Amino acid sequence: MLKSCRRSISFRSESRPDILAPRAWSRNATSSSTKRRDSKLWSETFDVCVNQVLTAKEIKRQEAIFELSQGEEDLIEDLKLAKKAYHDPMLKLSIMTEQELNQIFGTLDSLIPLHEELLSQLRDVRKPDGSTEHVGPILVGWLPCLSSYDSYCSNQVAAKALLDHKKQDHRVQDFLQRCLESPFSRKLDLWNFLDIPRSRLVKYPLLLREILRHTPNDNPDQQHLEEAINIIQGIVAEINTKTGESECRYYKERLLYLEEGQKDSLIDSSRVLCCHGELKNNRGVKLHVFLFQEVLVITRAVTHNEQLCYQLYRQPIPVKDLMLEDLQDGEVRLGGSLRGAFSNNERIKNFFRVSFRNGSQSQTHSLQANDTFNKQQWLNCIRQAKETVLSAAGQAGLLDSEGLLGPGTDSGEPQGETKLEQMDQSDSASDCSMDTSEVSLECERMEQTDVSCADSRPEESG
């Protein structure tokens, strides 16, 4: 699947699509049976008689403030559960080493006191009848502490990779499966719990805007809330940048070169990974494709020194010279030749072609995505990367005239959103409650292929 590196926080920006954005991503969708907490409403929690003296707007404001508070309570509960039900037992039973657990759980422990402090302050200003007059000053004073999230979020790519690797150990897999089947997990796996802080961080701007939306113009809280929103947006943007750089660095360090000639300065200088994920070529070979901001790198996933690495498949392709073609279903025949006839065969759907020609050097790859949506993500990301590169070189007008991008050059992706927000597009509904069942975009499970690095050079695309 495509792992859009706009996770961001799939924190990515544009010349670097946000990491929290859709990737040609590889996030694994969680089970449809995942259970959400029952939502609680302010009006159902406190004396309903209060509603008789409050306007509809003020009731909505109280509901939004209560949602913020309840979310903090749920978050704290889940973070403590992750430590008590997963970290501590695995350490005590020697299912994983302390070093491995430290890598997977990162600085999670340090986040709990931060949220306990906010919850305590919100409860302190709540009146006996359950209503709250002002939250703005509290948020302005507390939000800056969330900058400490940068180390936790930057560690997530390495943490996810190590956790997936450790799942190959039957003791680890058995323990995690037992937890998944236990009522306390709500059908969420360990990674869902570990990704909750990132998911929560993304929601703060939404939660604060909802409170502000129902705050009267003459309420002193309005100015404080606007300031709080600016603070959290700045923090998310900074974490998005650091997380994106961390992810890019992680994958660059795991690229394996068959020969010196495959090394490219465009890879070395890359600070942004726009997207990556698994695709198949027209011979059915599984490839892992990385789109950095200026170069496309096609690889094969291999196991090297017990780590998942990526062995280059052909030469890297500079984005500025890359040609992209959207192929119609049925246009490609497995094996390489054009079919030219319509077909309902599922095996020849969702293909697109990337090619490159520079003097005597040329490459053509017909690549198949998992589904129509995944294919469109790849097309959007590649088009956007090419537009960015050519714009920087003052050649943006050449895109259509040279027919490089084909129809529909508008990527349709939101501009100006952080990766965090893009990764959590599914979480941005009017209901601002945290839903860890929808965490499947930025941290997709990386499918591992047990291919030795000693294998012969991979088969080339036709």
Side-chain angles (χ1 to χ4, degrees), residues 138-183:
I138 291 176
L139 293 168
V140 168
W142 177 81
L143 284 171
C145 75
L146 292 180
S147 59
S148 62
Y149 260 64
D150 60 359
S151 59
Y152 184 83
C153 292
S154 294
N155 178 63
Q156 280 197 298
V157 174
K160 181 66 163 59
L162 178 57
L163 177 60
D164 285 346
H165 175 69
K166 293 302 296 183
K167 286 180 179 179
Q168 298 177 46
D169 182 328
H170 72 90
R171 293 188 68 212
V172 174
Q173 183 60 42
D174 181 67
F175 176 85
L176 295 180
Q177 184 61 35
R178 289 174 183 271
C179 290
L180 187 63
E181 295 171 356
S182 299

Side-chain angles (χ1 to χ4, degrees), residues 88-100:
D88 293 353
M90 286 193 286
L91 179 61
K92 184 176 181 179
L93 298 172
S94 299
I95 292 175
M96 287 195 209
T97 67
E98 183 173 7
Q99 181 179 2
E100 290 169 337

Side-chain angles (χ1 to χ4, degrees), residues 9-21:
I9 305 174
S10 145
F11 297 48
R12 299 192 171 211
S13 62
E14 279 338 344
S15 56
R16 62 172 272 179
D18 286 347
I19 282 180
L20 299 181

Side-chain angles (χ1 to χ4, degrees), residues 42 59-69 207 210-212 214:
W42 172 78
I59 291 175
K60 290 180 179 179
R61 172 177 157 81
Q62 293 301 321
E63 293 287 6
I65 293 173
F66 181 70
E67 167 114 24
L68 172 67
S69 178
L207 291 165
E210 184 68 8
I211 297 174
L212 178 61
H214 300 296

Side-chain angles (χ1 to χ4, degrees), residues 169-216:
D169 182 328
H170 72 90
R171 293 188 68 212
V172 174
Q173 183 60 42
D174 181 67
F175 176 85
L176 295 180
Q177 184 61 35
R178 289 174 183 271
C179 290
L180 187 63
E181 295 171 356
S182 299
F184 73 79
S185 73
R186 308 195 308 279
K187 298 296 180 67
L188 301 175
D189 65 18
L190 173 56
W191 183 252
N192 288 135
F193 283 100
L194 295 177
D195 199 48
I196 283 174
R198 180 201 59 77
S199 180
R200 180 63 175 176
L201 185 60
V202 176
K203 286 187 175 65
Y204 282 117
L206 302 174
L207 291 165
L208 301 194
R209 289 190 193 106
E210 184 68 8
I211 297 174
L212 178 61
R213 190 160 70 94
H214 300 296
T215 299

